[in-house]
Amino acid sequence: LLSHRGMNTLLLLAIFINYTLGSDKMIQIVLYQSQYEPQLKELLRGFEAEVEHRLRWPFPSAEISPFDDPESLDENDQDDELMEMVEEGAEDALSQINQGNDDCYLALSPEGNVIGFQVTHLYHNQADKHVKAGDLELSRLYVHPDFRKNGIGRMLDQDCLERVKTVDGINRVITFVEKNNSPNIALKRDLGFRKSTGYQDGARVYHFFQRTI
């Protein structure tokens, strides 16, 4: 689990948790496997596209802009630089997952399609003033626009928080959330994360949240 490949991974590959969507439809949370790579890559593109959108139009909103792939961006925003950044971000994230540096949990629809994901990273050494050894970072959370407002992001976060209770060596869960990502900020606060400091990376401003195990 969570960068502890080997025995824990073999156990978790066989585990999934069902959640209700609507009256009788079930959502499964499963550990990423290579068979889901094409669908995951499309969602990673959507994640990166929305990040770039919030950076370029930093207006507070209760909703994340409904982009599920880079092609759905406004025509004025379709430039080579943007598309390259989106593709590079998705490729890098997928590479880290496939190499085992990051773990990824998927939300599957009742039909077995990938409709959301949560990417995590376990730090074995202190990275900077915010990140210490034993920190588990929730680095990417995304739900396909067609399935939002069903609590799937909450399912992914809660599933992760339950799993880390059984893993030795994890001291706390942390995450950096863009200041304009209002839904994720509200979710983290509701799940007991405490906002402390923040930092700026170029034009991007992040809030730092932490939660003890």
Side-chain angles (χ1 to χ4, degrees):
L1 172 73
L2 309 168
S3 298
H4 290 257
R5 301 290 177 177
M7 183 173 66
N8 283 330
T9 297
L10 291 174
L11 173 63
L12 289 171
L13 280 172
I15 295 177
F16 65 82
I17 297 179
N18 289 334
Y19 296 91
T20 300
L21 176 65
S23 58
D24 58 354
K25 297 180 180 179
M26 305 301 292
I27 298 297
Q28 298 179 9
I29 307 298
V30 303
L31 185 65
Y32 167 79
Q33 299 178 57
S34 59
Q35 70 200 63
Y36 297 114
E37 181 172 321
Q39 294 184 62
L40 175 60
K41 188 172 182 179
E42 286 301 310
L43 291 191
L44 285 167
R45 290 191 182 108
F47 173 89
E48 297 295 334
E50 290 190 4
V51 168
E52 292 303 322
H53 179 78
R54 284 192 295 265
L55 177 62
R56 295 177 182 227
W57 290 278
F59 303 110
S61 171
E63 295 295 330
I64 298 176
S65 302
F67 300 146
D68 62 329
D69 64 71
E71 300 300 328
S72 60
L73 293 168
D74 293 338
E75 289 184 6
N76 292 335
D77 200 40
Q78 293 218 26
D79 56 74
D80 291 341
E81 180 183 2
L82 173 64
M83 299 299 288
E84 183 177 345
M85 293 176 67
V86 168
E87 191 66 26
E88 286 182 357
E91 289 282 359
D92 179 66
L94 188 60
S95 175
Q96 293 300 313
I97 294 167
N98 283 328
Q99 291 176 31
N101 297 323
D102 292 341
D103 279 311
C104 181
Y105 292 89
L106 308 175
L108 302 184
S109 71
E111 296 75 28
N113 298 317
V114 180
I115 58 175
F117 64 81
Q118 170 81 268
V119 178
T120 66
H121 180 79
L122 178 62
Y123 288 88
H124 299 283
N125 301 290
Q126 182 161 350
D128 54 37
K129 66 178 182 180
H130 298 290
V131 180
K132 304 174 183 178
D135 283 350
L136 179 78
E137 181 184 1
L138 308 183
S139 59
R140 286 177 171 84
L141 175 66
Y142 185 80
V143 176
H144 189 286
D146 290 348
F147 291 87
R148 291 176 186 172
K149 296 187 177 181
N150 286 294
I152 296 173
R154 179 181 295 272
M155 294 175 196
L156 286 160
D157 270 354
Q158 289 178 325
D159 180 71
C160 178
L161 294 174
E162 286 300 314
R163 290 175 188 271
V164 298
K165 293 178 181 178
T166 65
V167 180
D168 295 332
I170 297 179
N171 302 318
R172 62 176 182 168
V173 179
I174 65 171
T175 188
F176 297 89
V177 183
E178 294 170 274
K179 71 172 185 178
N180 297 316
N181 193 342
S182 302
N184 202 5
I185 290 173
L187 173 60
K188 293 303 186 287
R189 283 175 168 160
D190 194 46
L191 290 176
F193 283 82
R194 179 173 58 86
K195 188 178 82 169
S196 53
T197 58
Y199 81 101
Q200 186 165 350
D201 180 12
R204 298 178 183 178
V205 179
Y206 296 87
H207 296 306
F208 176 66
F209 289 86
Q210 57 181 308
R211 186 182 189 273
T212 55
I213 302 303

